[in-house]
Amino acid sequence: MNNIDNTFPQPPKERFFYLETYGCQMNVADSELIIGLLSQSGYRKTDDIDQADVIIFNTCSVRKHAEDRVLGRISNEKQRKLNKPDLKIGIVGCMAQRIGKRLIEDNSGIDFALGVDNYSQLPSFLAALDEPASFTDMNESEIYENIEPEHQGSTCGFVTIMRGCDNFCSYCIVPHVRGRERSRPFEHISHDVESAGNRGLKDITLLGQNVNSYHFQEIDFPILIERLAKINSIERLRFITSHPKDLSDELIRVMADSPKICKHIHLPLQSGSTAILRKMNRKYDIDHYLTLIHKLKAAMPEIAVTTDLIAGFPSETEADFEETLSVMRDVQFDYAFCFKYSERESTAAAEYTLQVPQAERLSRLQRMIDLQREITLKKFQAQIGKEVVVYIENLSRKSSQQVSGKTDDFKIAVLDGSEKDFGKLVKARVISATSGTLICQRQA
Ligand code: 5AD
Ligand code: SF4
């Protein structure tokens, strides 16, 4: 925010930090906070790990696989200390919160672990670090208003509007590591969106675990986005993630009425079986979910709907799983992030009997992915011939004569262009499609 505290301790000599980020967009945004904080504190960011005096992993605990990857990275990188004894390696984020203290005690090769509410202390913590230490006290009012994030993308900006989660879905570690839900003040969010726009970031994504329950004084989520959509310095406004139990008719109305609000919603379904949803503690049933989809499509026929799905939740039968496939066929999601259920210590579902065998989880996951790939391909091919507006973000990975970007409805599009186009909205016609990319031709 505006009143930056410039009194963070400075390192004695120029020190470089290297930061690797895992997990969700919330972690990407937290990494931007950490980069902002360390830069204000005299550290310099480097993308060259060989140059680093401090290596930081911003970690995710949502699935075991995410934690295992970071443990693997630490075990590789700690060899560097043989040639560089002063090198410090540490973790921040959800895994630091969850098991940071344990990792320090077990001598796992990290020098520090800092929890999700303790980033403000990072510079002083690093300055005082003479032996491995963890600091993971939860402070459930922390919303980091004294740190200016340093946005990393040159075109898209993430703005965190709330932290934590109160929903306790039975499979999910997030409420256990990120603490209770708290919303940032409206004025601060509005300042961040406006200034991101002034710095050339025209496509802004608002972030929260459940943005629909945003609440600050009399401002709820529909009021928030309706006001933010009037900010002149930005062109597009998106938000993730929505929870089906809290998505209101008023939100649908505001989305439909505000041209700057992108016609895309990420609405995690998790399972197509009402019995499993109940065991997941999701607090909606399939009828409610399908009614929401119907209302969204009635108000915005062109809306793209994406989702998250879990295969092999405890006690999920073949029939429950078939129900998920059937809802996928009915809704025709534009994209689905499909996950294999992973039991997480201290969550309710980890204690459930009737855990589905790993091989069955994997085979259901594969069936889900195969079905979604077919649906996504159909959805993308249905765009052929249409005119879209692409917000150009990057050079295409395949050709330096081409650029890539996002459509309003969150599809990746590729077209001829150059770096000069970055940050521009370009009209294009879709000429072909794969199950992940629209191939477009620029329009005059
Ligand atoms: N196992 C598998 N997937 C999970 N998710 C959250 N917790 C788990 C878990 N224990 C998925 C949900 C959520 C997404 C971010 O990650 O689908 O929406
Ligand atoms: Fe996890 Fe549920 Fe909260 Fe999402 S809403 S972060 S899945 S507990």
Side-chain angles (χ1 to χ4, degrees):
M1 261 306 292
N2 19 16
N3 49 349
I4 297 295
D5 176 0
N6 274 324
T7 58
F8 297 117
Q10 307 286 309
K13 63 178 179 65
E14 184 168 64
R15 301 197 75 202
F16 288 91
F17 70 97
Y18 170 90
L19 176 62
E20 215 167 272
T21 306
Y22 293 81
C24 64
Q25 303 304 347
M26 203 71 167
N27 267 11
V28 174
D30 278 1
S31 284
E32 293 182 340
L33 274 179
I34 291 167
I35 294 166
L37 173 65
L38 287 178
S39 305
Q40 287 159 41
S41 310
Y43 287 82
R44 283 183 58 193
K45 177 174 171 292
T46 179
D47 294 326
D48 174 7
I49 196 164
D50 292 333
Q51 195 183 25
D53 302 294
V54 183
I55 297 174
I56 305 172
F57 296 102
N58 190 359
T59 60
C60 169
S61 283
V62 162
R63 282 166 293 276
K64 180 170 180 297
H65 176 67
E67 292 195 342
D68 289 346
R69 273 176 70 202
V70 170
L71 292 173
R73 291 287 295 121
I74 293 167
S75 131
N76 279 342
E77 299 307 335
K78 71 182 180 192
Q79 314 302 334
R80 292 175 178 274
K81 291 189 188 175
L82 299 173
N83 296 327
K84 204 171 185 180
D86 289 339
L87 174 69
K88 302 286 181 220
I89 300 180
I91 58 172
V92 298
C94 295
M95 184 175 161
Q97 188 67 49
R98 197 177 88 77
I99 51 168
K101 193 160 174 278
R102 246 187 272 170
L103 290 175
I104 296 282
E105 286 164 2
D106 294 351
N107 234 339
S108 60
I110 53 168
D111 300 286
F112 64 93
L114 209 67
V116 294
D117 295 327
N118 310 116
Y119 300 150
S120 302
Q121 282 91 341
L122 186 55
S124 51
F125 192 71
L126 285 178
L129 195 66
D130 41 25
E131 57 184 48
S134 65
F135 184 32
T136 54
D137 291 355
M138 289 191 98
N139 166 9
E140 293 176 323
S141 58
E142 180 59 89
I143 46 174
Y144 294 117
E145 294 311 289
N146 63 335
I147 307 174
E148 183 91 44
E150 201 173 296
H151 291 295
Q152 296 305 293
S154 53
T155 48
C156 291
F158 294 116
V159 175
T160 302
I161 64 166
M162 58 210 293
R163 302 183 72 84
C165 178
D166 285 349
N167 291 305
F168 288 94
C169 300
S170 64
Y171 49 80
C172 185
I173 195 76
V174 170
H176 303 267
V177 289
R178 285 193 168 264
R180 299 292 58 75
E181 178 185 295
R182 58 271 190 189
S183 294
R184 291 183 63 208
F186 168 73
E187 290 73 20
H188 297 187
I189 297 170
S190 157
H191 163 273
D192 285 359
V193 171
E194 183 155 13
S195 72
N198 288 337
R199 274 176 285 139
L201 309 174
K202 303 294 174 194
D203 190 316
I204 300 293
T205 305
L206 306 178
L207 294 179
Q209 306 295 348
N210 174 8
V211 289
N212 313 103
S213 62
Y214 175 86
H215 222 278
F216 181 76
Q217 293 166 350
E218 80 295 352
I219 302 175
D220 63 8
F221 189 60
I223 300 178
L224 174 77
I225 57 167
E226 193 162 37
R227 290 194 191 170
L228 295 178
K230 294 193 177 119
I231 293 177
N232 286 328
S233 65
I234 63 164
E235 305 279 358
R236 285 179 174 177
L237 191 62
R238 317 173 175 275
F239 51 87
I240 44 176
T241 290
S242 288
H243 195 307
K245 79 180 165 61
D246 296 316
L247 196 159
S248 65
D249 291 352
E250 181 57 7
L251 175 63
I252 297 175
R253 183 196 67 76
V254 170
M255 284 182 81
D257 288 355
S258 312
K260 278 191 191 173
I261 300 179
C262 293
K263 304 301 175 264
H264 163 233
I265 191 142
H266 184 64
L267 195 63
L269 167 65
Q270 312 297 3
S271 168
S273 150
T274 290
I276 295 294
L277 287 173
R278 197 167 302 123
K279 291 180 188 157
M280 287 178 162
N281 193 29
R282 288 292 287 176
K283 304 192 179 83
Y284 55 85
D285 59 18
I286 285 302
D287 286 348
H288 175 75
Y289 190 90
L290 295 177
T291 304
L292 286 178
I293 299 292
H294 177 77
K295 286 181 181 174
L296 285 159
K297 290 188 176 174
M300 294 164 277
E302 75 283 28
I303 194 169
V305 183
T306 56
T307 200
D308 292 344
L309 297 166
I310 298 178
F313 183 80
S315 82
E316 182 188 73
T317 60
E318 174 62 23
D320 292 317
F321 179 66
E322 293 280 348
E323 285 186 58
T324 302
L325 299 181
S326 153
V327 177
M328 291 169 72
R329 287 188 199 99
D330 283 357
V331 175
Q332 298 277 302
F333 294 109
D334 291 73
Y335 192 79
F337 297 87
C338 302
F339 306 107
K340 181 165 71 82
Y341 171 69
S342 166
E343 49 263 59
R344 308 280 57 218
E345 189 184 13
S346 74
T347 60
E351 306 299 318
Y352 291 176
T353 50
L354 298 175
Q355 298 283 332
V356 175
Q358 286 291 346
E360 186 58 37
R361 292 183 209 179
L362 197 58
S363 110
R364 289 182 191 168
L365 174 68
Q366 194 55 53
R367 286 161 68 196
M368 214 176 225
I369 291 172
D370 291 345
L371 172 59
Q372 185 56 45
R373 193 168 289 142
E374 258 175 52
I375 297 173
T376 299
L377 180 62
K378 248 193 290 163
K379 292 288 256 192
F380 275 55
Q381 285 179 339
Q383 302 281 312
I384 295 173
K386 288 197 181 150
E387 194 173 87
V388 290
V389 178
V390 186
Y391 182 67
I392 309 292
E393 296 166 343
N394 292 305
L395 284 178
S396 142
R397 264 187 256 145
K398 295 210 176 125
S399 151
S400 58
Q401 317 294 316
Q402 289 198 310
V403 285
S404 74
K406 272 200 290 290
T407 60
D408 178 282
D409 70 349
F410 202 62
K411 293 186 171 62
I412 305 284
V414 171
L415 58 151
D416 286 346
S418 69
E419 281 180 26
K420 282 197 303 253
D421 297 313
F422 287 6
K424 288 190 188 146
L425 289 162
V426 173
K427 266 195 204 155
R429 187 166 304 282
V430 183
I431 48 170
S432 68
T434 67
S435 65
T437 311
L438 302 175
I439 320 295
C440 301
Q441 203 161 52
R442 214 175 252 261
Q443 299 292 287

